[in-house]
Amino acid sequence: MKKPFQLLTFLLITLSCFMSFGQTPTKNTDQAYIFFLHNRFIEEHDLNEAHPEYGRAEYNEILNSFKADNFIVYSEKRKKNTNAAEYAEKVVRQIHKLLKKGVKPNKITVIGTSMGGYIAQYVSTYLANPEVNFVFIGCFRDIDIEEIPDINFCGNILTIYEKSDVFGVSAIRRKETSKLKVNHFREIELNTNLKHGFLYKASDEWIVPCKKWANGNYDLN
C-alpha cells in the first residue's frame, strides 16, 4: 500500500501523462510532434519502482528531454496488459487528427522502446503513410518475421539496438520483407553493455538520434 503522499504524487504524474496524449496542436507549421511509447515494465509497475537488473525506468526524464528541444510530446502510462495492436489503432487515430488539422506528416514521429516499439511498428503498418517518421528501439528479434507476420514497415524508419541486448537486433530482415513503402531507413547499433537496460535510461546515445530523425535529419549528421 502506497503512503498518501506517494499515492498523490503517482496519480498526479499519471494524470499529467494522460492529459499530454490529447494536447492541442500549435498553429506553427514547423512544429514537430513526438508520440513516445514506453516499454512493458512501465506498463506493469509504478514509475518509482526499479527493475531488479536495469534500475528505474526514466520515463519522465525521457519525455522532458524531448520537450526541452521544443517537441510537442504525446505520451501516457499505459494500462497493464495493453494489447499492442489495439493500442496502435488508438495512436493512428491521434495521428489522423493531427493530419486533418494540417500538420505535415514528416513533422510527426512515433518513437517506441521495447514493447512500445512493437506498438510503433503496428502504427507504421496501420497508418501506411510513408512520410511519417518512426524510431523503433530495442524491439526486433529474427523470430518476429514468423511470429508477427502482419507487421510491415512504412515511413521513414530508424531502428536503434544495443549490441549486448538479446531482445533487440538489426531489423534489416523486417525491412526487406515489408510490402509498404519505406522512404528512408537507417540503423544504429549501440555498445553500452547495458543489455536491454539501455532503453530504461534517458541517454543521449539514443535520444539524440531520435531528435535528429524527428527533425528530418535522415543522415543523422
Side-chain angles (χ1 to χ4, degrees), residues 77-186:
K77 188 179 186 298
R78 298 187 304 273
K79 295 179 180 180
K80 187 181 293 186
N81 299 322
T82 292
N83 180 281
E86 292 177 1
Y87 194 87
E89 293 176 349
K90 174 182 178 179
V91 178
V92 169
R93 290 193 295 270
Q94 292 285 336
I95 293 174
H96 279 309
K97 289 180 180 179
L98 289 180
L99 295 173
K100 287 180 179 179
K101 290 180 181 294
V103 177
K104 296 178 181 178
N106 63 354
K107 293 295 182 180
I108 300 171
T109 303
V110 182
I111 300 171
T113 61
S114 194
M115 179 181 175
Y118 282 100
I119 296 174
Q121 291 175 54
Y122 275 114
V123 174
S124 173
T125 304
Y126 298 159
L127 187 64
N129 187 322
E131 302 300 324
V132 174
N133 307 316
F134 292 89
V135 187
F136 307 137
I137 303 167
C139 60
F140 178 79
R141 296 177 298 167
D142 288 331
I143 60 174
D144 291 348
I145 300 296
E146 289 75 34
E147 293 190 351
I148 319 176
D150 51 338
I151 287 179
N152 287 281
F153 286 175
C154 184
N156 302 308
I157 308 294
L158 170 65
T159 77
I160 302 175
Y161 62 96
E162 157 60 39
K163 186 176 181 179
S164 61
D165 180 15
V166 299
F167 299 111
V169 301
S170 167
I172 287 287
R173 286 191 62 202
R174 179 67 85 184
K175 190 259 185 181
E176 291 175 344
T177 60
S178 293
K179 302 176 181 66
L180 301 175
K181 185 177 181 181
V182 175
N183 280 341
H184 298 276
F185 182 85
R186 290 290 302 275

Side-chain angles (χ1 to χ4, degrees), residues 65-84:
S65 179
F66 289 125
K67 292 175 182 178
D69 275 22
N70 299 315
F71 293 100
I72 290 181
V73 181
Y74 291 74
S75 191
E76 66 178 357
K77 188 179 186 298
R78 298 187 304 273
K79 295 179 180 180
K80 187 181 293 186
N81 299 322
T82 292
N83 180 281

